DNA sequence: CCAGTATGTCGAAAATCATCGAACGTCGAA
DNA sequence: TTCGACGTTCGATGATTTTCGACATACTGG
């Protein structure tokens, strides 16, 4: 149905639209940084599970906002599986646009984040 | 002594205090990103000159603010030479804490910034 | 179809950030 | 010692971001 399709549509920027300042801004928030790091360990994860794994004590709507920022920066991929949204990292796209950035973020000790 | 006073005026975080989220937040602003890129080309430069080289059409006080953000994140080194403040990148410190980050920023085409 | 789970959206409040001009301090030169 | 160049700090303002609770939408199992 049309309504369903529209609402479920996820806006992911194509690789050609990825911008360094957007990616850096998205990663600059400690909560979002923790989200990315947790997601890298899990491989993929639904929202609520990921929020828990990242240790974020925030409301669902706030997490939804952060997820949106990460998605619009080109860091996250969101796909629908039933009632869930499965989040995963756009590793290949990030590596091709900004080689080393994701590895750096993931390899940085938590102490230095 | 005069020299002592001058040296203490500048608050530079030690290497052990550098934090990824602070560095990313500092670099996330397009103007500051341009400043860092211009500074990398110049090697070192006084404030006004650097602002011009970075192509920033902002007031001196605003640039001073950005310089402060970059300095407090550990990205810039500021030393006094007469009436001027000479800015330079803390390349070695950044490379040792966040290897590849500065290179990535400098190697990213302007189009993708 | 209903009840429960999962998640996004909206509107508002609070916090943070970018920006400016005015006022200030310091330095080097006239 | 006065002056102009360089830069910082302060206070205000508007923009952006973070955060929440309430509501809406979508799927799933009974």
């Amino acid at each position: 149905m049309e309504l369903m399709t529209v609402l479920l549509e996820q806006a992911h920027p194509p690789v050609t639209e990825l911008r360094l300042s957007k990616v850096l801004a998205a990663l600059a928030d400690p909560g979002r940084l923790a989200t990315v790091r947790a997601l890298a360990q899990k491989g993929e994860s639904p929202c609520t599970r990921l929020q828990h794994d990242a240790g974020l004590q925030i409301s669902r709507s706030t997490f939804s906002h952060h997820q949106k920022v990460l998605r619009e920066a080109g860091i996250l991929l969101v796909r629908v599986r039933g009632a869930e949204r499965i989040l995963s990292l756009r590793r290949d796209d990030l590596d091709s646009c900004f080689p080393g950035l994701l590895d750096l973020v993931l390899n940085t000790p938590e102490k230095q984040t």
Side-chain angles (χ1 to χ4, degrees), chain A:
Chain A
M1 318 190 134
E2 193 174 348
L3 243 187
M4 178 173 72
T5 302
V6 168
L7 289 174
L8 291 181
E9 252 172 25
Q10 304 293 332
H12 293 97
V15 178
T16 54
E17 296 296 327
L18 302 192
R19 294 294 175 265
L20 181 58
S21 50
K22 285 282 183 189
V23 172
L24 294 180
L27 295 174
D29 181 89
R32 291 193 292 258
L33 198 56
T35 300
V36 169
R37 292 160 66 93
L39 189 55
Q41 290 208 330
K42 286 290 172 179
E44 60 178 39
S45 184
C47 289
T48 304
R49 176 75 180 280
L50 180 59
Q51 177 179 352
H52 177 265
D53 288 342
L56 300 183
Q57 316 283 327
I58 55 179
S59 69
R60 282 174 300 118
S61 57
T62 299
F63 185 79
S64 184
H65 160 71
H66 286 316
Q67 178 260 56
K68 185 180 180 182
V69 172
L70 288 168
R71 173 170 48 80
E72 291 179 344
I75 296 170
L76 287 188
L77 181 68
V78 186
R79 70 176 195 280
V80 177
R81 189 177 63 189
E84 293 178 322
R85 311 295 170 103
I86 308 297
L87 308 183
S88 58
L89 289 180
R90 292 179 64 180
R91 276 183 182 271
D92 294 346
D93 292 341
L94 287 171
D95 286 345
S96 72
C97 282
F98 313 111
L101 178 57
L102 193 52
D103 286 340
L104 170 83
V105 166
L106 299 180
N107 290 333
T108 298
E110 193 170 355
K111 270 249 173 182
Q112 298 177 19
T113 56

